[in-house]
Amino acid sequence: MKLDSTRNEELPIYESLIRERGDVVEEARAVAEETQHQMTQALNGHAPVQQEAGAQQ
């Protein structure tokens, strides 16, 4: 099996972007998991859903 050298060369660029700008993908994943947990709790009647101040209708 041949290794993909292009993929290996891209990793340092990705790592430097994470250092400079933060790991946006990981942050989005964490927020999505927390939101999913909160919605599961709300749908099961265990916790109220809190709206952000800017999200009011």
Side-chain angles (χ1 to χ4, degrees), residues 22-34:
D23 193 346
V24 177
V25 174
E26 179 56 35
E27 290 172 23
R29 182 179 297 121
V31 170
E33 289 173 357
E34 178 62 25

Side-chain angles (χ1 to χ4, degrees), residues 2-49:
K2 183 180 176 184
L3 294 175
D4 186 0
S5 62
T6 305
R7 180 177 168 90
N8 291 336
E9 292 171 3
E10 292 175 10
L11 291 177
I13 293 170
Y14 181 72
E15 290 172 2
S16 68
L17 285 172
I18 289 173
R19 281 192 301 273
E20 291 174 18
R21 309 221 178 212
D23 193 346
V24 177
V25 174
E26 179 56 35
E27 290 172 23
R29 182 179 297 121
V31 170
E33 289 173 357
E34 178 62 25
T35 301
Q36 183 177 16
H37 174 72
Q38 290 175 356
M39 291 301 104
T40 299
Q41 294 295 317
L43 291 171
N44 289 330
H46 296 293
V49 176

